[in-house]
Amino acid sequence: MVKRLYVKRIGKIIMKRQERIDRVDLMRTYIRIVEAGSLSAAARQLDTTQATVSRRLQSLESLLGVKLLLRTTHAMKLTDDGERCYQHAKRVADAWVALEDELSQSDDEPVGILRVRAPHAFGQEQLLGPLTQFLERHPQLSVEWMLNDKNVDFLSANIDCAIRVGAEVDPATVSVLLAEVPRCMVASPALLARFPAVETPQQLSALPWIALSTFYQHEIHLSHLQSGDTEQVAIAPRLYTDSLYAARNTAIGGLGVTLISSWAVEEELINGKLIALLPQWQAAPLPVHLVYPWARYYPARLRKFLQLMREVMPGLGGMRHPVRQA
């Protein structure tokens, strides 16, 4: 009898200790549910099952003694207690990450997984070298490198930071200007041979165009390097694309003129596959930002990556230091 009571007591102690250990994970799961918008989405992001996520939610509600979420078949809504719990949980989770980060590596060595989104062509052509060196310097760090040109929803996509080229800055995020991407107008010799020589910006309207739809579609804006004069030129694209590769390759094939990041056509301009049009007239360079959501604490992996981008971005081929407004 005494032995049975002893075992039961030990079991309760273990359960209480396990509860205390798991509370941070329960709060992290709850944060992910709220930010992902559903239990199923949270389960995918956490790489676990929906049943596990549901069980963690129920455990947290039992520990707190309140209902956190109201769920129907098609919707989920936070209760008032659920909203307060979310705000507190965010602060606790940030503090816990800060503690882990500080104690696990006294020399501020980044650990864990950093999730980064970058434009497809830019992330593949320009940044793989610096990224590889970054990972070699930090063996305890992994990076999830997601290449696409879509707008970033940090909460639902579970992304730590994003490299944005030419995009408007979202005031709700932290945005660090890293560099600028000069652009040029290019066309193939075969295409230009079919039309009169282009000597003024307005003559560009008579040519077929390939539009990089992320940045321009029906018109382009040019400035003269010496005089500062500006021109707005209407264009009629034969092709609209959000792919820099598609724009470059179809321009090489003679489909039309394109206004494109200079770094992407350096080799083609050297070997004569493409010719620069009106080099004294240029479109505004595209700003390059590193963007991430505001938080009270940023782990070493994000801080080190930001430091890397500040150092290497302006020196990449075809890039330049940003011209900051006074």
Side-chain angles (χ1 to χ4, degrees):
M1 183 67 178
V2 173
K3 182 178 180 181
R4 190 179 307 155
L5 290 172
Y6 175 78
V7 170
K8 188 175 181 180
R9 184 178 179 186
I10 292 296
K12 287 182 178 179
I13 293 173
I14 292 173
M15 287 181 68
K16 287 182 179 179
R17 287 178 178 174
Q18 189 65 40
E19 270 186 2
R20 289 196 294 268
I21 293 171
D22 287 346
R23 281 175 181 174
V24 173
D25 285 336
L26 294 181
M27 285 188 290
R28 285 173 170 166
T29 299
Y30 178 63
I31 292 167
R32 183 52 45 203
I33 293 170
V34 174
E35 295 180 350
S38 70
L39 271 66
S40 57
R44 288 193 297 270
Q45 293 178 12
L46 294 170
D47 194 24
T48 188
T49 65
Q50 184 171 337
T52 298
V53 170
S54 179
R55 186 165 58 251
R56 291 176 185 173
L57 173 62
Q58 292 172 8
S59 297
L60 184 60
E61 289 178 328
S62 296
L63 284 170
L64 298 174
V66 296
K67 189 71 174 176
L68 299 175
L69 298 176
L70 299 176
R71 289 182 288 159
T72 65
T73 306
H74 303 291
M76 181 186 80
K77 181 181 179 181
L78 274 69
T79 64
D80 290 342
D81 289 327
E83 178 61 37
R84 286 195 293 272
C85 177
Y86 171 71
Q87 298 300 333
H88 283 288
K90 285 284 288 184
R91 290 195 289 271
V92 171
D94 287 344
W96 186 260
V97 169
L99 178 62
E100 287 181 326
D101 208 38
E102 182 177 337
L103 296 182
S104 63
Q105 298 292 330
S106 59
D107 59 352
D108 206 28
E109 175 66 19
V111 297
I113 299 176
L114 180 70
R115 297 174 176 85
V116 184
R117 178 177 287 180
H120 187 270
F122 193 65
Q124 183 169 322
E125 294 286 344
Q126 296 284 75
L127 295 176
L128 284 185
L131 175 65
T132 300
Q133 295 171 11
F134 182 63
L135 287 170
E136 288 174 347
R137 287 201 302 269
H138 304 295
Q140 298 186 67
L141 176 69
S142 297
V143 172
E144 188 173 342
W145 192 241
M146 294 163 278
L147 301 182
N148 65 63
D149 300 285
K150 298 177 181 178
N151 290 332
V152 182
D153 186 336
F154 291 102
L155 297 182
S156 63
N158 193 24
I159 292 171
D160 296 304
C161 63
I163 298 166
R164 306 295 307 277
V165 177
E168 294 184 0
V169 175
D170 182 352
T173 64
V174 180
S175 185
V176 180
L177 181 61
L178 301 172
E180 289 181 342
V181 183
R183 295 186 287 171
C184 60
M185 293 178 291
V186 297
S188 71
L191 175 74
L192 296 178
R194 293 163 30 206
F195 294 87
V198 177
E199 298 177 351
T200 67
Q202 294 305 324
Q203 289 177 291
L204 294 166
S205 294
L207 301 176
W209 273 78
I210 303 157
L212 267 169
S213 55
T214 312
F215 307 116
Y216 63 93
Q217 296 186 26
H218 304 295
E219 61 185 20
I220 58 172
H221 298 264
L222 304 173
S223 298
H224 195 276
L225 291 178
Q226 281 74 45
S227 68
D229 293 341
T230 61
E231 291 279 355
Q232 180 176 311
V233 180
I235 59 173
R238 297 291 313 285
L239 175 68
Y240 300 86
T241 178
D242 63 354
S243 168
L244 184 147
Y245 289 141
R248 180 187 64 188
N249 294 338
T250 51
I252 293 171
L255 181 65
V257 183
T258 193
L259 174 61
I260 196 168
S261 300
S262 298
W263 67 263
V265 293
E266 284 182 330
E267 184 177 338
E268 288 73 20
L269 290 172
I270 292 172
N271 61 31
K273 290 183 179 180
L274 292 172
I275 295 175
L277 287 156
L278 302 180
Q280 72 275 24
W281 288 92
Q282 292 194 358
L286 300 174
V288 182
H289 291 92
L290 183 69
V291 184
Y292 47 93
W294 184 90
R296 289 178 175 81
Y297 173 81
Y298 300 107
R301 54 185 174 269
L302 179 57
R303 289 185 273 112
K304 293 287 187 179
F305 186 73
L306 172 58
Q307 179 184 343
L308 170 75
M309 291 293 102
R310 284 184 183 276
E311 292 172 356
V312 306
M313 189 69 73
L316 296 176
M319 309 290 287
R320 71 186 190 195
H321 285 276
V323 177
R324 301 181 187 274
Q325 301 296 323

